[in-house]
Amino acid sequence: MKNKFYVTTPIYYPNDIPHIGHAYTTIAADILARWYRFKGYDVFFLTGTDEHGKKIENTAKKYNKTPREFVDSLIPKFKEAWKKLNLNYDRFIRTTDKDHEKFVQEILQKVYDKGDIYKGHYEGYYCTECEAYYTEKDLENGCCPVHKTKIEKLKEESYFFKLSNFQNRLLEFYRENPDFISPTYRKDEVINRVKEGLKDLSISRSSFKWGIPLPFDKKHVVYVWFDALFNYYSATRDKNKEKFWPADVHLIGKDIVWFHTVYWPAFLLSAGIELPKRVFAHGWWTFNKEKISKSKGKVINIEELVRIAGSDSARYFLFRHIPFGEDGDFSENALIERHNNELANKLGNLVSRVASLAEKYGTEKTENKLLKKLQLKKIENQIENYQFDKALNEIFAFIDNCNQYVQDKKIWEMKDRKALYELKESILKIAEMLWPFIPESADKIKKQFSTKNIKKGEILFKKIG
Ligand code: MSP
């Protein structure tokens, strides 16, 4: 049987068009999916949208649409954006998909029958923007600690999930699976909070309608995070997809670690479903050193991102500029600099020099000693440990070696056909290793260098002045 690899992204709220933050996780998932596919794994790459809840209902109202009409109008924007970035996902799940809704109801019934859901009253604070509950202690001057907006106090009948019952089992699970919360520097915070004790979680609302009804009480809709988290599992209930559970990795942003490492495993434990292998949280991008904010115009959408220097350069920049896991600052200048200095001057230059020399002098088969300088094992390890910046650095160190080789061998004088063979083979290997990161350019390079008679082609990365 083939090895399998199942990677997911968060499902995004379709309350606006996607921006760089959403693109970031989805590109990371695409990189891993391409990498494992290239290694011959059976891969399932899932992304999608989180469509229920009060937040979406409110936004739809603002546009004078029903929630359904509103989300339907935004889904094509997400799909177009992902196409522009060459994201090759296997399924785009929507929480309004019938199979998902039905599945969530089945799970709710199961958890209810088990006795892990009971009826009570919720009294406390709820931030609709976060779709999260807060205690008095969490608030800052009566405002949401994340959005700094006034926060609504709720008092309503609600069903509760017995989260408090899972404290020990969660702590034991973290102990036995030390990589579950990655990078490990995010782990202590979760563990310490869980050790402080877990309160039961309100998992239903009756004051609005846009959600999945509880099968045992139709007046209530289920809390949007209960619905949303199960997307990862419900997508594998399809024919031929069962084998993909448990997920190999859920890629998420650092703001939603708690939901994924506490609520999610607790729901699964209650439902008797195997837990995912890993949750990897990345950092946040700022934009010219400021928090990305739609209202302040500090936001970069996908069209703008791709317009700067193309899709490959955007993908490259996001994963070369900072270690995956840490925060980083996005600026157009920094992207253009890397496009010019690294993609155009190093990679582009190597490809065009070698192609034109090979066109002139041809190549002659020989042992490829040059390729020994490429640290393949190391790069493989780095990619599989989410150190994408390091892997790119290593590949570009080899590109430097290749450019140096052209100089040292003075190929344009010596007409060294054997050296040209080594270079062409090395470039093909570079294209293979870069394919997960910059698929469009890598495919062009492969095509150009796989033929018998190599020809000088178009410029791969045009410099931006
Ligand atoms: N719908 C929930 C996720 C449910 S998953 C079962 C959600 N959606 S979201 O649309 O608000 O955000 C999705 C992701 O975008 C989060 O992982 C978040 O970290 C990420 N980002 C939003 N802004 C970001 C940056 N400025 N930088 C990097 N990632 C950011 O949360």
Side-chain angles (χ1 to χ4, degrees):
M1 212 177 83
K2 267 206 210 170
N3 280 327
K4 65 100 190 165
F5 184 75
Y6 177 25
V7 57
T8 68
T9 75
I11 47 173
Y12 308 108
Y13 292 126
N15 60 335
D16 205 338
I17 58 173
H19 62 62
I20 189 171
H22 309 129
Y24 189 46
T25 335
T26 323
I27 299 170
D30 190 60
I31 291 170
L32 288 170
R34 286 177 188 268
W35 171 258
Y36 282 103
R37 244 176 225 134
F38 158 71
K39 282 189 45 159
Y41 281 51
D42 213 346
V43 172
F44 185 33
F45 165 12
L46 180 74
T47 191
T49 40
D50 185 356
E51 307 190 357
H52 292 121
K54 183 86 169 128
K55 176 186 175 112
I56 297 286
E57 194 181 87
N58 286 354
T59 321
K61 243 184 231 146
K62 265 203 296 204
Y63 289 91
N64 267 326
K65 290 190 173 163
T66 65
R68 180 82 218 194
E69 285 165 356
F70 177 67
V71 292
D72 280 351
S73 72
L74 272 157
I75 303 313
K77 310 275 183 214
F78 276 81
K79 292 190 174 165
E80 281 158 27
W82 297 162
K83 198 161 174 205
K84 282 204 172 82
L85 286 166
N86 285 311
L87 304 176
N88 245 330
Y89 51 82
D90 297 292
R91 175 165 173 192
F92 188 105
I93 193 170
R94 303 179 54 177
T95 49
T96 50
D97 286 343
K98 284 285 157 281
D99 62 332
H100 171 77
E101 291 189 341
K102 185 167 159 272
F103 174 76
V104 169
Q105 288 198 320
E106 281 167 22
I107 288 284
L108 279 164
Q109 189 65 51
K110 193 164 167 191
V111 174
Y112 184 68
D113 292 342
K114 239 183 136 181
D116 282 335
I117 292 177
Y118 64 91
K119 196 169 176 176
H121 275 90
Y122 179 79
E123 195 173 347
Y125 297 89
Y126 191 80
C127 173
T128 307
E129 276 305 301
C130 297
E131 295 282 19
Y133 299 96
Y134 289 108
T135 61
E136 185 106 43
K137 202 173 90 212
D138 300 324
L139 305 189
E140 290 172 7
N141 300 320
C143 292
C144 163
V146 179
H147 292 93
K148 320 284 178 210
T149 44
K150 263 259 163 296
I151 201 160
E152 52 179 317
K153 188 156 191 193
L154 288 183
K155 189 179 177 192
E156 58 184 52
E157 182 187 278
S158 176
Y159 284 85
F160 285 80
F161 173 73
K162 281 192 188 162
L163 187 62
S164 57
N165 272 356
F166 292 87
Q167 182 186 21
N168 290 337
R169 272 190 276 170
L170 286 172
L171 290 171
E172 192 185 309
F173 177 72
Y174 305 144
R175 230 181 358 257
E176 282 170 4
N177 299 275
D179 292 330
F180 175 65
I181 306 174
S182 299
T184 43
Y185 55 79
R186 304 237 181 245
K187 199 160 79 172
D188 290 348
E189 203 190 321
V190 174
I191 294 182
N192 291 338
R193 259 180 81 189
V194 173
K195 278 187 182 154
E196 281 170 23
L198 293 170
K199 283 217 290 243
D200 289 349
L201 178 70
S202 162
I203 54 142
S204 80
R205 305 283 306 273
S206 56
S207 53
F208 69 93
K209 287 269 156 291
W210 182 236
I212 300 180
L214 298 184
F216 43 85
D217 188 344
K218 300 271 161 46
K219 289 197 303 297
H220 288 248
V221 294
V222 71
Y223 173 40
V224 61
W225 273 97
F226 190 100
D227 165 359
L229 286 161
F230 272 99
N231 91 87
Y232 302 134
Y233 184 69
S234 70
T236 66
R237 296 307 88 196
D238 249 4
K239 258 203 315 295
N240 305 324
K241 292 281 184 275
E242 289 97 341
K243 63 172 180 244
F244 287 107
W245 192 261
D248 291 270
V249 64
H250 295 312
L251 298 176
I252 59 164
K254 62 178 184 180
D255 54 320
I256 52 178
V257 169
W258 185 254
F259 299 94
H260 283 81
T261 58
V262 180
Y263 294 175
W264 180 222
F267 296 158
L268 289 168
L269 283 169
S270 170
I273 299 169
E274 207 179 331
L275 305 196
K277 293 187 194 150
R278 192 195 283 256
V279 171
F280 190 102
H282 62 69
W284 270 48
W285 286 94
T286 48
F287 179 45
N288 294 330
K289 301 269 154 74
E290 289 189 65
K291 191 173 182 290
I292 290 182
S293 143
K294 169 97 179 158
S295 52
K296 294 193 193 124
K298 303 274 183 298
V299 67
I300 177 149
N301 65 40
I302 311 310
E303 218 165 286
E304 286 159 354
L305 176 66
V306 169
R307 203 186 305 131
I308 302 170
S311 161
D312 276 355
S313 296
R315 292 174 62 119
Y316 173 78
F317 174 80
L318 292 174
F319 289 90
R320 174 66 192 80
H321 203 55
I322 51 156
F324 193 54
E326 289 170 28
D327 295 337
D329 185 54
F330 181 89
S331 80
E332 190 164 328
N333 283 342
L335 195 166
I336 291 175
E337 229 166 78
R338 287 199 184 269
H339 167 92
N340 285 344
N341 297 341
E342 294 161 29
L343 292 170
N345 283 355
K346 294 182 177 203
L347 175 61
N349 203 18
L350 174 68
V351 164
S352 82
R353 278 164 98 190
V354 173
S356 66
L357 289 165
E359 178 173 3
K360 257 198 207 142
Y361 308 121
T363 62
E364 186 182 328
K365 194 165 176 175
T366 184
E367 186 198 350
N368 190 354
K369 292 213 188 83
L370 174 61
L371 192 59
K372 298 208 169 96
K373 294 209 169 111
L374 181 62
Q375 308 266 346
L376 277 177
K377 263 274 152 268
K378 191 168 168 193
I379 297 168
E380 186 167 345
N381 248 317
Q382 286 164 334
I383 294 180
E384 294 177 9
N385 285 297
Y386 308 84
Q387 297 173 319
F388 304 123
D389 61 320
K390 289 212 174 103
L392 286 169
N393 212 8
E394 207 51 67
I395 299 169
F396 272 74
F398 181 63
I399 293 173
D400 286 343
N401 286 330
C402 293
N403 272 318
Q404 194 58 45
Y405 200 62
V406 179
Q407 285 305 108
D408 292 349
K409 291 262 169 183
K410 291 201 170 69
I411 296 180
W412 59 97
E413 270 176 40
M414 310 306 287
K415 306 175 182 163
D416 186 340
R417 289 159 50 91
K418 287 193 169 156
L420 278 168
Y421 177 86
E422 290 181 271
L423 282 158
K424 135 185 123 87
E425 290 291 302
S426 300
I427 287 173
L428 280 170
K429 195 72 199 169
I430 290 167
E432 202 172 277
M433 301 305 281
L434 284 178
W435 182 71
F437 301 94
I438 51 168
E440 220 176 294
S441 311
D443 279 338
K444 281 189 200 158
I445 298 173
K446 254 190 259 169
K447 202 163 156 222
Q448 187 181 8
F449 284 84
S450 306
T451 56
K452 261 213 149 58
N453 297 310
I454 297 168
K455 297 241 158 2
K456 193 172 158 57
E458 51 167 318
I459 295 178
L460 268 185
F461 300 98
K462 290 201 182 73
K463 285 233 240 179
I464 298 171

